[in-house]
Amino acid sequence: MTTRNADWLSQYRQGGKLPSPKGVYLEALRLLEQEEVDSRELVRVLQSDPATNARLLQLANVSIRTRSRPIVAVADAILVLGQAQIKRLILALALLQSTTPRVAGFDYPHFWTRALLAALATQALAEHLGQVNADEIFVVALLAKVGELALVSLFTESYVELAAPLEGCNDIEVRLQAERQQYGIDQDELSSLLVEEWGLPVVFVEAVFHQSHPQALSTFPDASRPLYLARLLRLGQGMAGMCLLDNPERVEDVQRLVVESQALGVDDLLLQEQLSRLMVNWEHWQDLLQEAAPLLSEPLDWKSLAVEREVSSDDVSKLSVLCLGEQADLPPECLNLLSFLEMPAVSVPNGLDLLLVAYHPQHAEQIKDLLAGLDAVFGPYLLLYGEALDAQSEALLFRLGVDAYECTPLRCEALQKHLQRAYRRREARQKYAQRQQRMRRFTGSLAEINRDLRQAALTDPLTSLRNRRYADERLRQEWTLAQRQEKNLALMLLDLDNFKSINDSLGHAGGDEVLRRVASVLRDFARHQDVPCRIGGDEFSILCPETDLQGVEVLAQRICARLAAAETWTGLEHVISVSIGVASRDAQMQSSDDLLQAADHALFEAKRQGRNQVVCFSRP
């Protein structure tokens, strides 16, 4: 952390008090007074306020400095702190709120409402897109603009005077620049310092810092994750602004929606659906805040407010264009954009953006054949031009899949209009491909996660050997295989002698070290086909496919001798021995359970006969 940042945090700690909406603490205290607290309802109440989120996370992360990953979700913070500590914290914050003066001229209800709306919108998008933990991004989005609240708390009337002339300004950079000139820091930078102070991971800190200009992250290597999060935060803030009744920045919010929704692959239908759902669900949160800003009576059609971006000549120059037909009817100034192939129809190259076809009635069948090979949704934009047609002939062409028909002579303005439409179809096709790629990547990540989870579910975390669940599954599989192919199958059960006294003398840390060394010996002696497992406590097993009783006994004797050797336990000042029972599949056994029972019977005999030895199962 730079000296400048440290100075700002010191200044914030001395004078920064973040006020909270009055309804939050009262509702939280009411819930905590109940005998059986609904934890989900408590989370919903506490996570509705940026200041409360910040204090909970800060306290929770201070309490668990040994964790490899900081706590980000409020639910996790509640689990770490416990309800008694949460209650004490809420009482302290309620007292703090009562003594924290409000700054006249700053619209607190508008700030809290927009912050909570942005958090809810971002959370809903995260749940749909599946790229980030929805509960964690809720907290990050709620705190994303807390720097503005901190500036108000630090500089009071000075900040209100600074912000007043900027009311209604659609350019966020103007406000940020004014803050930097006045105070040497802007609200986004201060927000990132605060969320870092409160223990959030670096990737979230970077996203908050760049939230107003996420495109700046695209120039940094390995910035794909913070870039994605910054875009998600910006889209959530734009959605929040669309819901507010009094919003002088609505035009800017529309621009955010257009740019960031396209970058994230969020289509128009999903965006409108999420906006509607956000406003319907707001009623519950509005009652909680008790001083919320008013919302629109119904969600606006955000597309009706967006000004369609003009496609530039640079955009058009990126198009892949193919013309089938004569050049005579085309505007000379557009010829440099096009390459020509003559009829009859040829195969259309993959990735073509615009197909321009000179139409003559004698080419009707060729046009029909050409259209049959094109993708109606993601194929090229198909523009036909020729002599004026009657309504029936033109309708037939559109039924076949033609996008547009222009009469000759084809005007440059008309061609430019179709080039723009072709460019937008190209953008839609690229977004679809990106979405499919993201879905494949997500599916692949999910498969890896599932594999990792299965590995974890079948592995003993202390010794890294396979666990009891895996041992049981593998025993059944090997039994079936041995029975079908009439092969040998042996099982070895091992139990440490007097392990309780070892734990008592060495402590649990020493006992864990003993178990790890036993596991290491088993791995060293096991052959490539053998399966060593820890099946619980101080009990281990080794499954030995294609091994008879004599072979498993030899292996067991070597392991027993190795574990009884003093050099195995150097540094522990304790020599540990092991009792081993072995058994091999025979004709009288009907299932894998019979083999397990036989090995267990042999282990019992090894213990009974004095321990530190190997006993083979034999029938009376």
Side-chain angles (χ1 to χ4, degrees):
M1 181 181 296
T2 65
T3 303
R4 174 173 171 270
N5 290 347
D7 291 342
W8 264 106
L9 288 176
S10 176
Q11 185 176 356
Y12 163 76
R13 294 188 190 106
Q14 294 174 11
K17 294 183 176 65
L18 301 183
S20 300
K22 59 187 177 182
V24 174
Y25 296 145
L26 296 176
E27 180 66 11
L29 289 173
R30 183 188 69 78
L31 289 172
L32 288 166
E33 289 296 333
Q34 298 176 3
E35 292 184 6
E36 295 185 3
V37 181
D38 186 339
S39 59
R40 291 173 298 180
E41 181 66 12
L42 182 61
V43 169
R44 186 184 74 85
V45 170
L46 293 177
Q47 71 180 10
S48 64
D49 169 42
T52 305
N53 269 261
R55 290 158 183 146
L56 285 176
L57 294 175
Q58 185 177 23
L59 185 57
N61 283 309
V62 166
S63 303
I64 48 139
R65 289 296 188 190
T66 57
R67 277 175 64 106
S68 59
R69 188 180 191 279
I71 287 179
V72 180
V74 172
D76 295 335
I78 292 175
L79 287 175
V80 168
L81 297 174
Q83 291 182 3
Q85 177 76 330
I86 292 291
K87 186 174 181 179
R88 288 192 293 269
L89 178 64
I90 292 300
L91 287 170
L93 293 178
L95 179 62
L96 175 66
Q97 178 198 346
S98 66
T99 59
T100 301
R102 299 285 181 91
V103 178
F106 184 77
D107 193 344
Y108 289 94
H110 181 275
F111 174 85
W112 285 319
T113 301
R114 183 156 188 167
L116 187 50
L117 280 170
L120 293 168
T122 308
Q123 182 184 45
L125 289 170
E127 289 174 347
H128 180 83
L129 297 173
Q131 299 291 311
V132 63
N133 183 290
D135 291 335
E136 292 187 354
I137 200 62
F138 177 96
V139 174
V140 178
L142 190 69
L143 299 175
K145 289 297 182 181
V146 75
E148 182 182 8
L149 196 61
L151 287 174
V152 176
S153 301
L154 285 168
F155 299 107
T156 60
E157 288 83 1
S158 168
Y159 185 78
V160 174
E161 293 175 2
L162 173 74
L166 302 176
E167 193 71 26
C169 177
N170 293 331
D171 189 353
I172 184 63
E173 180 56 34
V174 173
R175 178 184 290 267
L176 297 179
Q177 186 175 358
E179 292 169 351
R180 289 193 294 270
Q181 290 176 349
Q182 181 79 11
Y183 306 116
I185 196 170
D186 61 51
Q187 56 181 270
D188 286 353
E189 185 177 0
L190 185 53
S191 295
S192 67
L193 288 177
L194 291 176
V195 297
E196 184 178 22
E197 166 81 355
W198 296 327
L200 272 67
V202 174
V203 66
F204 291 136
V205 175
E206 292 178 352
V208 170
F209 183 85
H210 292 282
Q211 60 184 308
S212 296
H213 302 287
Q215 66 276 9
L217 278 165
S218 60
T219 61
F220 292 89
D222 301 324
S224 58
R225 185 67 170 168
L227 174 61
Y228 176 84
L229 294 172
R231 289 195 181 281
L232 196 59
L233 293 176
R234 188 168 170 82
L235 179 56
Q237 290 158 11
M239 292 176 66
M242 286 296 295
C243 298
L244 291 168
L245 178 62
D246 182 17
N247 178 17
E249 301 175 0
R250 194 179 306 281
V251 174
E252 180 188 335
D253 292 328
V254 172
Q255 293 171 351
R256 291 176 183 171
L257 288 175
V258 172
V259 175
E260 303 309 337
S261 62
Q262 290 178 353
L264 292 170
V266 177
D267 58 46
D268 300 347
L269 184 61
L270 172 63
L271 205 55
Q272 194 71 32
E273 177 187 338
Q274 294 290 356
L275 283 169
S276 300
R277 188 174 300 170
L278 182 61
M279 295 183 65
V280 169
N281 294 336
W282 178 248
E283 180 180 348
H284 307 293
W285 299 93
Q286 182 177 7
D287 294 339
L288 182 61
L289 289 180
Q290 295 186 9
E291 47 182 334
L295 266 60
L296 296 169
S297 57
E298 59 182 30
L300 287 174
D301 180 4
W302 65 272
K303 290 183 67 178
S304 66
L305 300 177
V307 178
E308 188 175 73
R309 183 178 70 86
E310 285 294 325
V311 178
S312 67
S313 57
D314 290 338
D315 293 332
V316 171
S317 66
K318 299 174 185 176
L319 290 173
S320 171
V321 182
L322 177 64
C323 182
L324 302 179
E326 300 91 349
Q327 305 180 28
D329 294 326
L330 295 177
E333 58 269 34
C334 293
L335 291 178
N336 62 332
L337 296 177
L338 310 175
S339 60
F340 290 87
L341 294 176
E342 297 296 331
M343 295 294 281
V346 298
S347 59
V348 177
N350 292 330
L352 187 66
D353 297 315
L354 173 67
L355 182 59
L356 184 61
V357 180
Y359 178 73
H360 298 284
Q362 62 267 30
H363 292 151
E365 288 301 319
Q366 291 172 312
I367 293 294
K368 186 176 180 180
D369 294 339
L370 179 65
L371 293 174
L374 297 179
D375 189 317
V377 179
F378 297 108
Y381 185 89
L382 183 56
L383 170 63
L384 270 61
Y385 64 99
E387 297 179 358
L389 300 176
D390 59 74
Q392 185 176 0
S393 299
E394 191 170 351
L396 175 61
L397 288 177
F398 284 113
R399 282 200 300 272
L400 292 175
V402 172
D403 291 294
Y405 187 90
E406 291 285 349
C407 296
T408 53
L410 183 59
R411 295 177 295 109
C412 185
E413 295 80 3
L415 180 57
Q416 189 69 23
K417 175 184 68 176
H418 294 297
L419 287 172
Q420 291 182 352
R421 291 175 180 173
Y423 184 82
R424 292 193 174 90
R425 175 175 291 189
R426 179 179 187 261
E427 285 184 321
R429 185 166 61 243
Q430 289 175 341
K431 283 194 296 184
Y432 176 79
Q434 292 169 358
R435 191 181 309 169
Q436 292 296 101
Q437 183 180 9
R438 186 165 57 249
M439 182 60 68
R440 286 193 295 270
R441 187 165 58 248
F442 173 69
T443 304
S445 299
L446 188 60
E448 290 179 4
I449 291 172
N450 286 334
R451 285 195 297 270
D452 291 343
L453 289 174
R454 176 164 176 79
Q455 286 290 96
L458 299 176
T459 302
D460 172 53
L462 177 63
T463 64
S464 298
L465 294 178
R466 296 299 192 179
N467 61 14
R468 175 63 178 269
R469 179 180 176 184
Y470 182 87
D472 291 343
E473 289 182 6
R474 185 65 179 271
L475 176 58
R476 287 191 292 269
Q477 294 171 1
E478 293 294 343
W479 174 271
T480 301
L481 185 62
Q483 192 175 42
R484 184 185 303 124
Q485 299 180 357
E486 296 185 354
K487 291 184 176 181
N488 291 319
L489 179 64
L491 178 64
M492 181 191 315
L493 295 182
L494 307 88
D495 189 276
L496 294 183
D497 297 330
N498 302 314
F499 187 68
K500 184 180 184 304
S501 64
I502 296 172
N503 260 338
D504 293 341
S505 60
L506 300 179
H508 288 290
D512 289 348
E513 176 61 22
V514 167
L515 295 174
R516 282 191 287 265
R517 293 198 189 187
V518 170
S520 178
V521 169
L522 298 187
R523 275 192 292 266
D524 289 343
F525 279 85
R527 302 161 300 176
H528 73 278
Q529 76 267 30
D530 296 338
V531 186
C533 302
R534 182 189 177 198
I535 57 178
D538 60 331
E539 298 179 8
F540 297 82
S541 70
I542 300 182
L543 184 62
C544 303
E546 301 184 29
T547 306
D548 58 15
L549 188 60
Q550 182 180 1
V552 73
E553 181 183 11
V554 171
L555 178 61
Q557 292 289 1
R558 292 175 180 171
I559 292 174
C560 187
R562 177 61 180 173
L563 289 174
E567 60 267 22
T568 304
W569 310 107
T570 301
L572 289 180
E573 299 180 358
H574 211 293
V575 176
I576 291 92
S577 63
V578 65
S579 299
I580 304 177
V582 298
S584 181
R585 188 179 76 90
D586 62 29
Q588 297 185 42
M589 295 179 182
Q590 301 299 314
S591 68
S592 59
D593 289 340
D594 293 338
L595 177 59
L596 179 62
Q597 187 175 358
D600 189 57
H601 179 78
L603 175 61
F604 176 80
E605 284 298 312
K607 291 283 191 183
R608 189 181 66 82
Q609 294 176 20
R611 299 184 175 87
N612 191 23
Q613 59 184 289
V614 177
V615 171
C616 297
F617 173 75
S618 61
R619 296 189 181 277

